Structures are given as C-alpha cells and as structure tokens.
Amino acid sequence: MEWFNVGKIVNTHGIRGEVRVMSRTDFPEERFAIGNKLGLFTVGAKKPIMVKVASHRTHKNFNLLSFEGYPTINDVEAFKEGYLKIAEHDLGDLEEDAFYHHEILGCQVVSVEGEEIGKVTEILETGANDVWEVTPVSGKKHYIPYIEDVVKEVDIDEKKITIDVLDGLLS
C-alpha cells in the first residue's frame, strides 16, 4: 500500500495530548477532521501506527491535533518528528484540471511540436499558481508555470505533459 504525507508532527502542545502539525496538504479540514484515521510513521518505523483524530484546531501557522487513546503529553511525546500519512485509497477525487503532486512528479514534458524538454522534478507552490521544475537530460532546469496559456495537456496515465513554449519560457 502506498502512503502520502499530509503533515509532520513538529512538537507537542500543552499537557493534554495535543501535537503541533505542520500541514503538507491542501485539504487540512478534510484530512484532520474528527474521526478521520491517519497512519503515523514515527522516526525509523517501517509500519504506521493507526491513529484516529479526536480533536483539531488551528493555532498560528499550525494544526493542533489530538488522537483517541492518547490523552496526555506522555502518550504523544514519542510522536515528535513523525509523519501523518493517508493511504492511497483514501485520496479523494479532485476537480477537473487539478492533480495530486505525486501524479505530476516524474511526468515527461514535451512541447506542442513534440520536442522533449525534461521531467517534472519538483513542484513549487507560489500562491497564484504552482510552478513545475523541469529537469532536462542535460543543461539547466526550467520553471514552467501551471497556467492555461502554457500547459496544454496533462496525461496522467501516460505520464506526459504537453506545453506551449512561449517566447522566453525556457531561457
């Protein structure tokens, strides 16, 4: 089974079993909803501890979570630096023209003329739109904005992205 990261536990919070989570998801209200089950991968663990969210609230830039069966700080101390993940079958459907990062990473990028440009190696979240780092076989990396004028087709099954190379885009 494949697991996908939705947050990292960076510390405990208070004495009542809350943990401070740095979110790695666009859907924290869904992923951290009360009753939702998550896989907790502690440092060095190969298998997750399955936890059920008992409470969720935000505080500053963090999500504060507590889990059923872990009511005190002593119960959650060992969770520090652990990762909260969801199983692949728990991923929801996205709206049209929206993709999970793992679907885009590794895709081959080609121009509308058929010229190979490289593979998507990283996704940068800039606020207005994502920017895909594309690494060619040789040469410098390119940064492709995920906007309608540039990205013409995304074929997840074929792991292929077709773009319109606007003037100055690859320089």
Side-chain angles (χ1 to χ4, degrees), residues 65 90 114 121 126 128:
L65 303 177
D90 289 334
T121 52
T126 62

Side-chain angles (χ1 to χ4, degrees), residues 72-101:
T72 71
I73 187 172
N74 295 335
D75 298 322
V76 297
E77 189 75 33
F79 297 168
K80 278 197 236 178
E81 300 302 311
Y83 288 91
L84 294 170
K85 299 184 180 190
I86 60 165
E88 185 172 20
H89 64 280
D90 289 334
L91 293 175
D93 292 331
L94 297 176
E95 58 194 51
E96 191 175 336
D97 296 329
F99 305 95
Y100 287 110
H101 286 192

